[in-house]
Amino acid sequence: MSFEPRHRHLPIGGQSLHVVETGAPDGRPYLLLHGWPESWRGWEGVMRAADPDARLIAIDLPGIGGSTGPATGGAKRRLAEVVHELVRHLGLTGATLVGHDAGGMIAYAYLRHHAGADAAGVAGVVIMNTVIPGVAPWDEVLANPSIWHFGLHAVPALPETLVEGRQPEYFAYFYDALSVDAARITPELRAAHAAAYAGRAALTAGFDLYRAFGRDARDNAAAAEAGPAGTPVLYLRGEGEHGDLAAYARGFREAGVGNLETALVPGAGHFAPEEAPARVWSLISGFAGSLRLHPSV
C-alpha cells in the first residue's frame, strides 16, 4: 500500500505549523510530537505501521522543518499551549498525545496544564525515551557525564556556530551512539532531519529546547505542587536504552502522576519510533484502546 501523507500549514498560536496526516480522517486521533534532532519524519515508520482506520497527525515543532514563526524560546509549557491550540483547531476528541524525547517533555507539560481541563480533546498521554525536567531522575541524568550535550546545547549561540553546516555529521553522532541498530535510521531519514534544521533559526529552535530546561523544571515543580494529574499516562523506554524504568516510574508517581503504565520497547534504543515502529504502534494503540473516552466521543 502506498504511503500518501496529507500536508498542510495551519496558523496556530502565532506559528505556521506544518501538519502531516495519514489514515482515516474520522478515525481515532493520535497526535505525534517529535524530539531532537528530528522532524515529523521520525514518526513515518509508526504512521506506516498504524491501523488504516486510525488518524495519525504529526507536526514539525515550531521553528523546525516546515513550521515557521516567531521564536518560542523552547519552554515546554509555551509549546504545550501551541499544541493545545492545535487540538482545539482540529476539533480532536479522544486523542492520544504521543511525545518522543523533547516532544515527550512537551506532552508532559500538556498533561500538567491542559489535559485535565480538556479531557474531551486528549484522553491519554504517551511519553517516550526522555527524562522530564524537574522530575526524578532528572538530577541523576544531569550529573551523568555521558549527557554532556545538555550543557553544550544550553550555551547561547555557541552550538549554532559549531554545528551550522555540519548538521548531518553532528546529528549522526547521536543516532549512532543512542540506537540499538543505527542502520534503522536510514540515510533518507537522516537527510530529512538535517534539512529540517538547515537554517540558523531552525538550529536555534532546536537548541532552545535545551536552554529552557531550567524554566521547564520550575514549571513542572509548580505543577506538581498544584495537585495530581489524573489523565492516563504510558511511559516508554527502549529496551536497549540506559536508565532504570522503575526509577522513572517512581519519579512520575512522586510528581503526582498516579494513573501510570510503563513498558519497554523491544529491539530499540533511544530512537524507538524509528528503530521499532511496529512495536511502538502496538504499545501506543493498545494503551489508547484501554482509555475511557469522553461521552461525546
Side-chain angles (χ1 to χ4, degrees):
M1 183 179 297
S2 63
F3 182 68
E4 298 180 353
R6 305 182 293 273
H7 297 258
R8 53 179 165 162
H9 289 80
L10 298 176
I12 304 292
Q15 304 287 321
S16 175
L17 280 190
H18 179 210
V19 180
V20 185
E21 293 194 41
T22 59
D26 59 350
R28 170 175 280 181
Y30 296 79
L31 180 54
L32 311 173
L33 310 178
H34 67 80
W36 185 94
E38 295 176 291
S39 63
W40 80 266
R41 292 285 302 273
W43 293 108
E44 184 174 315
V46 174
M47 297 170 92
R48 290 178 181 273
D51 302 331
D53 59 349
R55 180 184 181 188
L56 281 291
I57 307 161
I59 68 170
D60 281 329
L61 294 181
I64 295 169
S67 293
T68 59
T72 66
K76 311 310 174 292
R77 185 171 181 178
R78 165 67 184 125
L79 292 166
E81 290 171 358
V82 175
V83 174
H84 183 232
E85 289 196 36
L86 177 63
V87 169
R88 296 177 64 184
H89 182 91
L90 295 176
L92 301 184
T93 56
T96 301
L97 179 63
V98 186
H100 169 259
D101 186 74
M105 298 178 184
I106 299 167
Y108 183 81
Y110 193 106
L111 168 76
R112 298 312 310 233
H113 298 286
H114 298 290
D118 189 29
V122 170
V125 176
V126 180
I127 298 171
M128 300 182 58
N129 309 101
T130 195
V131 63
I132 303 299
V135 175
W138 176 248
D139 290 341
E140 289 81 355
V141 170
L142 288 184
N144 184 344
S146 68
I147 312 298
W148 55 269
H149 58 288
F150 278 26
L152 172 61
H153 293 178
V155 178
L158 179 61
E160 288 93 329
T161 300
L162 296 175
V163 174
E164 190 170 15
R166 304 175 181 85
Q167 286 91 329
E169 295 83 1
Y170 188 67
F171 295 172
Y173 168 83
F174 297 96
Y175 305 142
D176 296 343
L178 300 178
S179 301
V180 167
D181 182 358
R184 296 175 186 171
I185 307 176
T186 65
E188 180 187 6
L189 285 174
R190 293 174 185 232
H193 294 330
Y197 297 82
R200 183 87 173 195
L203 276 175
T204 295
F207 292 131
D208 278 350
L209 296 168
Y210 293 84
R211 294 173 182 135
F213 281 171
R215 177 177 172 181
D216 297 335
R218 294 190 294 274
D219 285 344
N220 291 335
E225 291 176 1
T231 301
V233 175
L234 172 64
Y235 180 72
L236 300 177
R237 290 186 72 77
E239 188 176 50
E241 191 170 21
H242 296 297
D244 178 9
L245 184 64
Y248 285 84
R250 284 195 301 272
F252 279 114
R253 292 191 174 103
E254 289 169 0
V257 181
N259 196 347
L260 176 73
E261 299 177 32
T262 65
L264 293 173
V265 182
H270 178 71
F271 296 98
E274 290 168 282
E275 296 180 74
R279 294 187 178 108
V280 167
W281 170 248
S282 178
L283 287 165
I284 64 175
S285 61
F287 168 72
S290 72
L291 298 175
R292 176 182 294 180
L293 300 184
H294 189 273
S296 67
V297 178

